[in-house]
Amino acid sequence: SYRLAFHSGDINDPKDATGLTSAMTSMLTEGTSEYTSLQLAEKIERLGASISSSSSDDFTIVAASSLSLYATEVLHLMAEVVLRPTFPEDELDLYRRNTVENLKFQRSQPGFLASEQAARLVYGKHPYSKVSPNANDIEKLTREQVVKFHSARFVPNNAMFIVVGDVKKDEFLADLNELFGDWTPGSGVSHNFPEPPARSARSLTIVDRPGSAQSNIVLTNLGVKRDDPDYFPLIVMNQVLGAGASSRVFMNLREEKGFTYGAYTRLETKKLAGEFEATAEVRTAVTGDSLKEFFYELERIRTEKVGDEELADAKNFLTGVFPLRAETQSGMTTLIVNQHLYGLPEDYLQTYGDHVDAVTPEQVLAVAQKCVRPDEMAIVIVGDAEEVLPQAESYAASVEIFDTD
């Protein structure tokens, strides 16, 4: 398994070209100086291999995997994709049309509309606030922009190469030097972004979908970065509160009250910042009652120590699931890549279980008070505003209502 990871992602899009990183990344395998898109796909298929590329907020990753027998051939194809993509105009046109259609569908999904508003409220002018380009962003992208952006971002001093498998080090380094040795360094990537805004009160944002039978609820506040020293107490706290089907908010809103099929909490930890979220899709008529129960559980995790049995269950789940993620070569590769991209300790993977087991009830309480802040949360509800507003307006100091556009 090969991974070539770049320390730049969607947040590094130029201000006037949102979606450029994603477009460039998606088109890497659509033709190179040596192969057309079809030729490349056929060659990869004949080797029983795979090559893909993707971008996230913080990173861009080109991934390849194959049998060890074909490692050199796949590395050659990977070099073609990374160093010599041609970004054909007809493929870019197809990308534009397909992406615009996908964006139209995306705007019909209440979950997307809720996450869009939540990100805007939590991150303000920071680029994490932009969860997706719009149709106009995509339609105005040009091949010249994509080519220029690829040259600027895909540089060796912005990247790391990780390989996992049956690898002979000297042979691999010789191949790597032959294929990538002439790769010219470029300028570093700036991460000089505005800080997310400080919040001091709850707000209510409703995205109006008249006649909706459900309300999509998101409660959120600014969280922590991935390398936060309290990461392990935080994931234990989140497991107790809402990460699974035996968690507090799930048991309360689904099993006891029957308001929803599922209620959860989530810690989104990124390179530069993060957020805490509580989410559920509930019947419109119980939107206010659901908010009441959410805030009850959010306050309880901050004010009462977690019981021994509840804490042990959360730890057992986390330490039991983690090894499963490393059972496959692909899973292990992903763990190693993330460890290096986020700058985690060298022994992170080996000591994960020990760190989880060491978490105390006092630490859970402390990190809940640090990261779960109900009094400053942004409340986002996608649903029928006429039905939702009377139920929810008492929970916030300010109210704003938008349509789905």
Side-chain angles (χ1 to χ4, degrees), residues 175-208:
D175 289 339
L176 197 65
N177 190 57
E178 178 184 349
L179 294 168
F180 292 89
D182 295 332
W183 196 4
T184 305
S187 302
V189 178
S190 170
H191 290 95
N192 185 25
F193 302 123
E195 288 293 320
R199 295 178 57 87
S200 58
R202 286 185 200 162
S203 63
L204 171 61
T205 300
I206 299 175
V207 181
D208 187 21

Side-chain angles (χ1 to χ4, degrees), residues 68-83:
S68 299
L69 179 65
Y70 303 120
T72 299
E73 290 92 330
V74 169
L75 194 60
H76 169 81
L77 296 177
M78 195 174 183
E80 275 289 305
V81 165
V82 170
L83 301 180

